[in-house]
Amino acid sequence: MDANASARLKKRGSAWALNIALFISMLIICLPGLWIVLNSLRPTVEIMAKPPVWIPRELSFDAYVDMFSGVGQGGIPVIEYFRNSVIIAVTSTIISLAIGMSGGYAFARYRFKGKSAWFLGLMLTRTVPGIALSLPLFFLYAKVGLIDTHAGMIIAYTALNVPFTIWLIDGFFRQVPRDLAEAAQIDGCTRWQAFWQVEFPLARPGIASAGIFAFLTSWNEFALASQLTRSTDSKTLPVGLLDYTAEFTIDWRGMCALAVVMIIPALLLTYAVQKHLVSGLTSGAIKG
Amino acid sequence: MATLTLSTLDKKYGGFHAVKGIDLEVADGEFVALVGPSGCGKSTTLRMIAGLEDISGGELRIGDRVVNDLPPRDRNISMVFQSYALYPHMTVAENMGFSLKIAGRDAATIETAVKEAARILDIEPLLERRPAQLSGGQRQRVAMGRAIVRDPDVFLFDEPLSNLDAKLRGQMRTEIKQLHARLGSTVVYVTHDQIEAMTLADRIVIMRGGVIEQVGTPDEVFNRPASRFVASFIGSPPMNMAEATVTRGALHFDDGTEFPVPPAFTVAEGRRVVLGLRPDDIYPEGHGIHSESGHAVERRELPVALSEPLGNETLLFTEVAGQNWTARMLNPRMVKRGEVLRFHLDLSRAHLFDAETGLTLRG
Ligand SMILES: Nc1ncnc2c1ncn2[C@@H]1O[C@H](COP(=O)(O)OP(=O)(O)OP(=O)(O)O)[C@@H](O)[C@H]1O
Ligand SMILES: [Mg+2]
């Protein structure tokens, strides 16, 4: 066997090894998700069985049927929770993105007094764990009447998300050469048009990822929501999970079913947005 | 097409005075090159003309409109950036047609204009590509195409060729010249390459430290430099220089060498001056470019320190007046290191500058 053949074999061998390693790690990552889907389809006895039952004996959609069958018949107000979650997550994502884009653009493009101090300040707010804010926030909200309202949750989540969206979007605007917006202005754009025609499309991957992050944070957040929401007026899906806990029992199957209901929109959204997450959009703008 | 008028144009960045009240008149269809060392304010001037930089003082006119406070899009100019600044998310055709699209022209008009520009620049096969799929030279062409399509009053170029290799740069230089001849447009072209300026421009503006040192045709700035700085900046290899004191009607150099004062100049006794002599005007006997008839020619036996054969000519390095001077030998023959040759110094073509102010002493 000559050196070329053995090198080729080695290359193919390591490609295979890499694939297998990737498969195993993906399996580990996906297993909890699969487990949740599986558990939502089978009775609690089987869920709690030791050793675990890997292959379910029978599958049923009872948990889902129950969930939607209304309060009092083993159901929970899932429609209301879902509506609250969507309103709160979508609105706060949109606001976070709007602020993130303006802020990120300003940090990337303009020089102003105290710029780095501002930036550091924004980042520092992230070092405070969200849960530590819940009590002060609770008192504040109670005073101004924001407890158990959409607005209250939207404000809280927006505040939580903005530093991150600014930071992420700033990085992407930095990668867009200044010359491009200037060229666009010379080509007849206003400052505003130059932004939307040239800079925005090029920073889109950053804006899309910031959007996904902001949405998922709001969608999945539990600690703050459990403090600041009370009723079906504003309770979100994660808080709704608690409806399946009674004093002495936990309905694991129902909980898993609700978790699946939560996961699906997040998955769909991520899937829809991921095509914008391409890298290297700005290559080719300059030089040779 | 239009004229361009800069009157005491000023630019301050905070406390830093980048452009200090420059005056310049560019005629309709004229090609003006802005040259000067790095940081002298060329780009700043160009960007003020483009409207990308606020004007701190003075007046800027395109045609007979004062455009000081107009945004770039209302000035009807095109600019080719040093970085090309192509829109990476658009195809070549979209890049070139962008200005027309923004102006709200219909698709057919845009396509015709883009096709025409692509034909002129010979980039028709590239129209559907994206900038990332182009070579440096091709990107350069696309950037020029984008400028042409707009059909502007004034073309602005900011060192458009400096990212290309030497050969391509020479080729594009010729093409820009042909393009200008064909379009007859008013051009302001920034470069720090004096050869580019000399070959392309109708007039050259030499800037230093935010002020204009001299404005003139390539011939004027080469043959009648207004200052020592212009003299050393224009021409390659650069002009040879040496400081001297005028005593008893002759130039006394610091190492004791003595030359007569060049005939075109009259200088006061005791004055400190700088003698400038281009490499073309110092050459071994019989190897010069210019006719010597009627010229004041000094003859010196000098040892050659080093020779650089270039094929059609050879550059010889020799010590004159304590300085390392370059001489240009036409119809060259082999010259050995250390060989002593009889050099002619054509003082009728020499320049004298004031040692302090650097200004020419030509009357
Ligand atoms: N935004 C700015 N803020 C402060 N100073 C600036 C700014 N832009 C340019 N300058 C200064 O103004 C001077 C002129 O800059 P300019 O870019 O016009 O130089 P240039 O002649 O184009 O040089 P080069 O050949 O290197 O491109 C420089 O000293 C530069 O440091
Ligand atoms: Mg410059």
Side-chain angles (χ1 to χ4, degrees):
Chain A
M1 198 164 58
D2 65 10
N4 273 314
S6 70
R8 194 159 55 226
L9 214 65
K10 215 160 142 191
K11 205 156 112 194
R12 210 174 296 163
S14 57
W16 269 102
L18 190 67
N19 275 340
I20 290 169
L22 275 177
F23 181 76
I24 291 174
S25 34
M26 282 315 288
L27 206 64
I28 294 171
I29 292 171
C30 292
L31 201 58
L34 287 176
W35 198 243
I36 285 177
V37 175
L38 207 57
N39 284 353
S40 73
L41 300 174
R42 56 186 182 174
T44 306
V45 222
E46 209 177 291
I47 298 173
M48 302 305 282
K50 270 178 201 167
V53 181
W54 287 95
I55 316 287
R57 241 155 283 146
E58 56 168 327
L59 296 175
S60 79
F61 288 91
D62 290 354
Y64 295 93
V65 176
D66 288 350
M67 183 162 49
F68 287 99
S69 60
V71 189
Q73 281 118 42
I76 58 163
V78 63
I79 304 286
E80 282 82 359
Y81 292 166
F82 196 86
R83 183 201 63 203
N84 293 337
S85 267
V86 168
I87 292 176
I88 292 171
V90 168
T91 318
S92 89
T93 300
I94 291 174
I95 300 176
S96 302
L97 278 187
I99 301 179
M101 267 161 64
S102 338
Y105 189 80
F107 276 116
R109 283 286 190 265
Y110 297 109
R111 279 190 290 176
F112 47 88
K113 234 183 167 158
K115 176 167 161 174
S116 37
W118 265 103
F119 202 76
L120 188 67
L122 275 178
M123 292 306 111
L124 281 181
T125 61
R126 288 313 311 254
T127 61
V128 182
I131 189 70
L133 293 173
S134 65
L135 206 56
L137 212 53
F138 183 82
F139 284 124
L140 190 72
Y141 274 23
K143 279 249 159 57
V144 295
L146 279 175
I147 297 280
D148 202 22
T149 60
H150 288 156
M153 293 316 296
I154 291 169
I155 293 172
Y157 288 157
T158 304
L160 223 53
N161 280 325
V162 154
F164 183 72
T165 51
I166 289 184
W167 174 76
L168 197 68
I169 295 175
D170 161 77
F172 276 81
F173 275 128
R174 261 173 220 279
Q175 284 176 17
V176 180
R178 267 166 207 264
D179 285 0
L180 293 188
E182 295 184 341
Q185 278 175 275
I186 287 184
D187 273 344
C189 290
T190 58
R191 196 72 201 70
W192 183 248
Q193 278 177 315
F195 175 81
W196 286 108
Q197 296 277 343
V198 175
E199 293 178 291
F200 174 76
L202 295 175
R204 209 171 47 197
I207 294 163
S209 15
I212 290 184
F213 274 108
F215 180 83
L216 291 183
T217 311
S218 319
W219 187 258
N220 294 328
E221 206 279 339
F222 171 76
L224 276 180
S226 68
Q227 307 284 317
L228 303 176
T229 61
R230 280 289 155 73
S231 65
T232 50
D233 284 351
S234 73
K235 268 167 107 173
T236 54
L237 285 167
V239 183
L241 284 175
L242 281 185
D243 287 5
Y244 285 103
T245 59
E247 200 168 344
F248 300 111
T249 59
I250 297 179
D251 179 359
W252 289 111
R253 184 174 70 161
M255 228 184 221
C256 286
L258 186 58
V260 170
V261 169
M262 272 178 63
I263 291 171
I264 286 170
L267 267 185
L268 288 180
L269 180 87
T270 313
Y271 185 76
V273 175
Q274 59 123 21
K275 72 167 188 289
H276 297 292
L277 299 182
V278 286
S279 59
L281 263 190
T282 51
S283 73
I286 52 176
K287 292 210 300 185
Chain B
M1 303 304 134
T3 58
L4 178 70
T5 315
L6 286 60
S7 327
T8 58
L9 209 61
D10 224 58
K11 178 68 195 179
K12 292 194 180 97
Y13 289 111
F16 181 72
H17 209 163
V19 175
K20 301 171 184 157
I22 61 173
D23 291 295
L24 182 66
E25 183 107 23
V26 182
D28 187 13
E30 193 179 20
F31 195 122
V32 165
L34 248 54
V35 295
S38 194
C40 70
K42 308 181 293 287
S43 297
T44 306
T45 307
L46 200 73
R47 291 168 56 81
M48 281 195 285
I49 299 172
L52 297 172
E53 209 75 68
D54 288 335
I55 294 173
S56 314
E59 194 179 79
L60 176 68
R61 257 181 294 165
I62 298 176
D64 33 44
R65 275 193 316 162
V66 175
V67 297
N68 275 39
D69 298 311
L70 292 187
R73 77 200 141 92
D74 294 330
R75 300 191 181 194
N76 200 22
I77 37 128
S78 276
M79 182 157 164
V80 178
F81 290 75
Q82 178 173 11
S83 66
Y84 312 147
L86 299 178
Y87 311 126
H89 56 306
M90 302 182 194
T91 63
V92 166
E94 285 165 344
N95 261 282
M96 289 168 61
F98 185 66
S99 59
L100 298 182
K101 190 177 135 215
I102 292 294
R105 304 292 177 74
D106 60 277
T109 316
I110 298 178
E111 197 183 320
T112 319
V114 168
K115 283 255 164 69
E116 171 65 10
R119 198 180 54 72
I120 293 175
L121 289 164
D122 206 16
I123 46 173
E124 284 156 302
L126 308 178
L127 284 177
E128 292 317 311
R129 296 218 201 149
R130 293 195 185 253
Q133 302 162 322
L134 301 177
S135 73
Q138 290 169 333
R139 284 178 204 180
Q140 220 290 318
R141 275 166 209 269
V142 175
M144 298 223 302
R146 192 171 63 179
I148 293 175
V149 166
R150 198 173 145 76
D151 190 22
D153 285 339
V154 181
F155 277 100
L156 306 175
F157 291 86
D158 192 354
E159 311 206 16
L161 306 184
S162 58
N163 286 325
L164 303 178
D165 63 61
K167 191 168 167 222
L168 203 51
R169 195 153 60 216
Q171 193 182 326
M172 288 308 295
R173 204 163 64 205
T174 319
E175 289 197 17
I176 290 179
K177 188 150 191 166
Q178 282 166 350
L179 201 63
H180 176 247
R182 172 178 199 153
L183 301 174
S185 34
T186 309
V187 177
V188 180
Y189 187 104
V190 165
T191 174
H192 57 232
D193 179 350
Q194 51 98 16
I195 297 179
E196 238 167 68
M198 293 291 280
T199 50
L200 286 171
D202 298 321
R203 276 193 308 153
I204 297 179
V205 178
I206 297 123
M207 293 184 66
R208 177 164 72 147
V211 297
I212 293 180
E213 287 264 325
Q214 187 175 5
V215 183
T217 62
D219 180 59
E220 279 165 4
V221 296
F222 187 81
N223 290 317
R224 303 178 76 85
S227 68
R228 178 181 179 172
F229 172 77
V230 173
S232 60
F233 195 81
I234 301 286
S236 158
M239 187 186 281
N240 302 303
M241 309 247 179
E243 275 198 35
T245 312
V246 181
T247 32
R248 291 186 306 280
L251 302 173
H252 283 263
F253 293 90
D254 301 342
D255 72 331
T257 318
E258 208 180 299
F259 283 139
V261 173
F265 300 86
T266 43
V267 273
E269 190 73 9
R271 192 154 189 186
R272 265 315 257 183
V273 297
V274 178
L275 172 75
L277 195 65
R278 293 215 180 268
D280 305 337
D281 304 321
I282 165 170
Y283 42 85
E285 194 162 55
H287 290 277
I289 305 179
H290 302 285
S291 151
E292 291 180 347
S293 76
H295 282 203
V297 177
E298 277 295 299
R299 295 171 177 79
R300 294 289 148 100
E301 310 278 341
L302 297 168
V304 174
L306 201 70
S307 75
E308 278 183 1
L310 299 173
N312 58 336
E313 63 183 31
T314 295
L315 298 180
L316 303 174
F317 299 89
T318 181
E319 197 182 296
V320 179
Q323 304 291 322
N324 207 357
W325 278 23
T326 314
R328 183 171 257 153
M329 177 188 201
L330 251 57
N331 304 317
R333 62 169 178 81
M334 270 294 290
V335 176
K336 285 196 293 290
R337 209 172 152 167
E339 191 175 332
V340 175
L341 294 176
R342 189 172 172 77
F343 280 93
H344 285 201
L345 291 80
D346 188 344
L347 290 184
S348 293
R349 301 183 56 86
H351 304 267
L352 272 194
F353 306 99
D354 188 294
E356 245 164 60
T357 64
L359 296 180
T360 183
L361 294 171
R362 200 183 291 271

